[in-house]
Amino acid sequence: MDGPAIIAAHAALQKLLTSLPKEYAKDCSYSAKAMEVVVGQQGGLYFVEINRRVEKCGWAAPGFNPSPHWFELYAVSPEGKVLARYPYHP
């Protein structure tokens, strides 16, 4: 990954983590450890998709996903400014 892609991924992950309810702060399944970040680039913007991977917390079987439609998608500038979030509605 190039530097701006890493900056975009970090900005999107921070945006997600700060948006979660405070009571989730100690829940591994809503921590950075449990998040999988995928970055793509198009038209000078980075698109960052974040998926929960609860098996990384050690208590779930590989591939188990308690919310299969849960994801976050952000458009981020190369400088790390989150420009938009795709609204998630399960």
Side-chain angles (χ1 to χ4, degrees):
M1 260 199 290
D2 62 5
I6 294 169
I7 291 169
H10 182 277
L13 185 57
Q14 289 302 309
K15 182 81 168 179
L16 168 65
L17 293 175
T18 59
S19 73
L20 295 173
K22 300 278 186 230
E23 57 268 16
Y24 290 6
K26 294 184 182 193
D27 185 346
C28 177
S29 62
Y30 288 96
S31 70
K33 181 178 181 177
M35 301 300 166
E36 174 185 65
V37 179
V38 180
V39 181
Q41 183 183 24
Q42 178 69 38
L45 293 177
Y46 288 91
F47 294 91
V48 182
E49 181 181 342
I50 303 173
N51 296 292
R52 278 177 59 204
R53 300 286 306 271
V54 295
E55 71 269 12
K56 292 181 178 183
C57 293
W59 58 265
F64 172 75
N65 188 348
S67 306
H69 302 292
W70 189 99
F71 70 93
E72 295 281 334
L73 183 62
Y74 297 90
V76 185
S77 74
E79 297 78 31
K81 181 175 179 173
V82 176
L83 304 172
R85 174 184 168 267
Y86 177 80
Y88 164 70
H89 299 288

